[in-house]
Structure formats: C-alpha cells, structure tokens
Amino acid sequence: MVERLDHIGITVADIDAVTAFFVSLGLEADPKMTVEGEFLDTVIGMTDAATEIVMLRVPGGDTALELSSFARPQHLPGSPVAPANELGLRNVAFEVRDLRAAVARAAAEGYGLVGGIGEYEGVWRMAYVRGPEGIIVSLAERIRI
C-alpha cells in the first residue's frame, strides 16, 4: 500500500535555528508557512492549533524533512540529551561525500559528536552529531561500494 516515503516530521521550539542547522549541512529549505484551521485540527486531534512549517530537502531529492513549531498549543518539551537507545525516533540519517568535513562544519556551528567516527566493515564511515534541541543527525560516508 505504501508508495514512497514523503517526509519525516520533527517538532521543534526554534524553527529558525533548526532550519539554519540543516541548511548548513546542505539541505535546501522551502519557504516557511503557517498552517492552522480545520485541516490541522482534524489531522493532529487538537482544537485551535497553529504551526509554522519548513520543508527541507536534499538537493535533487523529493523526500523531505518537515520542521514544525507550534504557536498553539504550546509545544511540550522533549529530552535534549536522549541517548541513542531511548525509545522513539532517535536520528535522521544523511549520506555525505566527506564525513570529516561535515562533522567539522557542524562543530564550527557549535554542534558536537555524540560519540566518535566509526567505520563499518570498510563500507561506511559514520558519526552521530547532536544538533539544536537535541536532534541527533547521523552522517554517513560511503567509502566502498
């Protein structure tokens, strides 16, 4: 029944800071939009909700990362230091050309590694970076096909 993965949604407090983080990693942001009214209320099961949304895409890609920041009702805090084994969505993964450069770019923005840079069977090099609001981004570089 499923035809494709359309998007993954992340609810954030500071949509501008989180958007800037993902843009610094190379994603492209659609214009920010506000969604409210009967459609949103029906889908999320709340009354009088309003949210700002930014869709982010890998250049040339059609699957998106949706950032949503609620004006109404107030967002509920999550754990900004959730470990990788906590239940729930733990990371969003992107393939990069140069892992060390991507990690250095994130570090220059003030975002560090969760652990270290690991290598899997000579095929992948990967690292977790903890971005704004505790979002974990998995960056992976294919080193052999």
Side-chain angles (χ1 to χ4, degrees), residues 25 92-96 99 102-103 106 125-129 137-141:
L25 292 176
V92 177
F94 297 100
E95 184 174 343
V96 297
L99 177 62
V103 168
R125 194 171 289 129
M126 186 168 68
Y128 277 7
V129 172
V137 177
S138 173
L139 301 174
E141 175 186 4

Side-chain angles (χ1 to χ4, degrees), residues 40-127:
L40 180 63
D41 291 352
T42 298
V43 171
I44 67 171
M46 295 181 173
T47 303
D48 194 34
T51 186
E52 287 187 310
I53 293 175
V54 172
M55 300 302 274
L56 297 149
R57 301 174 200 287
V58 173
D62 62 349
T63 301
L65 182 63
E66 176 194 76
L67 301 180
S68 178
S69 183
F70 280 83
R72 298 185 311 264
Q74 281 288 327
H75 63 273
L76 300 174
S79 173
V81 293
N85 66 337
E86 185 174 297
L87 297 178
L89 179 63
R90 279 304 118 225
N91 72 80
V92 177
F94 297 100
E95 184 174 343
V96 297
R97 284 192 199 118
D98 183 340
L99 177 62
R100 293 187 197 292
V103 168
R105 188 174 319 122
E109 299 283 329
Y111 303 107
L113 293 173
V114 171
I117 295 175
E119 192 172 302
Y120 180 74
E121 297 185 354
V123 177
W124 289 100
R125 194 171 289 129
M126 186 168 68

